Every structure is written in C-alpha cells, then in structure tokens.
Amino acid sequence: MSRRYDPERRGRIIDAAIRVVGLKGIAGLTHRAVAAEADVPLGSTTYHFATLDELLVAALRQANEGFAEVVAAHPALSDPEADLPGELARLLGEWLGGDRSGVELEYELYLAALRRPALRPVAAEWAEGVAALLARRTDPVTARALVALLDGICLQVLLTGTPYDEGYAREMLARMLAPGR
C-alpha cells in the first residue's frame, strides 16, 4: 500500500493542537486528542512530533506569530512622528479587545515555558522578536522594557479579569519612553 502524500498534514496537526489546548488546556493535550481533532491517524501525530513538547513548541511558535505580525505591520514603528505610546496602547487594546480566547491561548502556551524547558527558547524568540521591532523607534534596552511592560499589562488584564485601560497603558508607555527617565 502506498503512503498518501499530504503536505498539509503537519500544519493541520499544529492547528489541531492549538484547538485542543484552547478547549482543554495544556493538561488535555495528548497525541490521541490531537489526532482526533485533526482527523488523522494517531501515528501521524507521533511521526511529525515524537513528543508532546515538540508539538507544543510548534504550537507556541505558530501562536506567537499573531501579535508579532500585528506589531510588525503597524505603521507607527516606521514613522518617527507617530505617537508611539498612544499607538502601542491602542494596538494592545485591539489585541485584548473582543474575543480573548486567542490571547488567552497564546499566554497559556507562553506560560507553559515555566514548567517545560523546551518551550523557553520559543518564548524568548517572541520577546526578542517584538523587542527588535520596537527597537526601530527606541534603543534595544528600552525596547526590552517595553515588551516587559506590555506583557505585564496583558497578564494583569487576563488574570484579574479587569478591563483593559488604554489611558493607563498609554501613560505608562509614555513614562518609559520619556527622555531623561
């Protein structure tokens, strides 16, 4: 019997893993659950991802692309006249606004790096990538601090259930970017 050529299968497995984590949390992620969600044989998941950590790394890498792409595409990063604190605060508000399930999923995968060392390099890649984008408008050290502030604001909103306060975010970002801070 010949093997069926399916170049999209790996991507479907990653998408299914993201959906499983979104529905059941990381604790509910198994090769069997992902295979069922992707509608592929169990052996396909283990063929492409020998361990759950490998699958989580791929899922985290794909999930991280969302916010980084939004930041990269934003014109405020290339326009030196743009109000960077205001634009970042607005951008964060858009990301946190509406359906938060995608943001919550990204942070669940991101925070899984606390207990799963295999995920740490991917979490670091995300932070470094966003910092590199922000460094276009500021220095690298301040860019890293901005990422930490944005991360902290997101975590507070997600973990406490408090509404996002764009004015507060803008003020804190402006203070961080103020000359002679």
Side-chain angles (χ1 to χ4, degrees), residues 67-92:
F67 186 66
E69 286 175 1
V70 169
V71 173
H74 201 283
L77 290 178
S78 56
D79 180 2
E81 301 302 315
D83 171 28
L84 187 59
E87 290 299 315
L88 287 174
R90 186 182 60 72
L91 188 68
L92 198 58

Side-chain angles (χ1 to χ4, degrees), residues 53-171:
D53 277 353
E54 287 179 20
L55 184 52
L56 279 170
V57 164
L60 178 57
R61 191 165 270 130
Q62 182 169 308
N64 282 348
E65 292 172 359
F67 186 66
E69 286 175 1
V70 169
V71 173
H74 201 283
L77 290 178
S78 56
D79 180 2
E81 301 302 315
D83 171 28
L84 187 59
E87 290 299 315
L88 287 174
R90 186 182 60 72
L91 188 68
L92 198 58
E94 289 173 7
W95 196 55
L96 289 168
D99 179 21
R100 289 192 182 166
S101 59
V103 178
E104 290 170 356
L105 171 67
E106 287 184 45
Y107 268 92
E108 183 167 2
L109 289 167
Y110 182 60
L111 292 173
L114 291 170
R115 301 262 184 228
R116 294 180 180 261
L119 296 176
R120 290 179 186 155
V122 182
E125 285 172 17
W126 176 86
E128 291 164 4
V130 174
L133 293 170
L134 294 174
R136 295 179 191 169
R137 289 286 311 273
T138 187
D139 63 274
V141 173
T142 303
R144 285 181 51 214
L146 288 170
V147 171
L149 177 60
L150 294 169
D151 236 358
I153 291 171
C154 284
L155 281 171
Q156 286 181 359
V157 168
L158 293 171
L159 295 175
T160 65
T162 57
Y164 173 68
D165 183 344
E166 187 172 321
Y168 168 79
R170 185 182 324 101
E171 173 67 23

